[in-house]
């Protein structure tokens, strides 16, 4: 997941408004945060979780009618 997040960060830098890249990044960040928490590394997980939730919240605000984005929270 670490490499996936790095790749998605690059894609976000190139096109920060692309919804599907933002969805994938939000999911990857939250999944990595869950994995780190389960491994006893909650300090590392917090920042990733916040980034994922922030991306999800912005997508929900921008696309309120899209059920995929509403279910991300």
């Amino acid at each position: 997941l670490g490499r996936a997040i790095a790749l998605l960060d690059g894609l976000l830098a190139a096109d920060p408004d692309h919804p599907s890249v933002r969805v994938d990044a939000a999911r990857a960040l939250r999944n990595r945060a869950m994995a780190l928490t389960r491994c006893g590394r909650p300090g590392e997980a917090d920042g990733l979780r916040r980034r994922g939730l922030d991306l999800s919240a912005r997508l929900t605000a921008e696309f309120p009618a899209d059920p995929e984005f509403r279910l991300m929270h």
Side-chain angles (χ1 to χ4, degrees), residues 26-41:
R27 287 183 180 142
L29 288 162
R30 290 188 354 241
N31 288 339
R32 178 78 170 143
M34 282 191 291
L36 288 169
T37 298
R38 288 181 184 144
C39 291
R41 296 162 53 186

Side-chain angles (χ1 to χ4, degrees), residues 4-58:
I5 292 170
L7 172 66
L8 289 164
D9 280 342
L11 293 172
L12 284 171
D15 189 359
D17 296 324
H18 198 286
S20 65
V21 173
R22 291 159 56 198
V23 167
D24 291 343
R27 287 183 180 142
L29 288 162
R30 290 188 354 241
N31 288 339
R32 178 78 170 143
M34 282 191 291
L36 288 169
T37 298
R38 288 181 184 144
C39 291
R41 296 162 53 186
E44 292 176 60
D46 287 341
L48 296 174
R49 184 178 299 106
R50 281 188 210 130
R51 280 183 60 204
L53 289 172
D54 181 54
L55 282 171
S56 297
R58 284 188 277 148

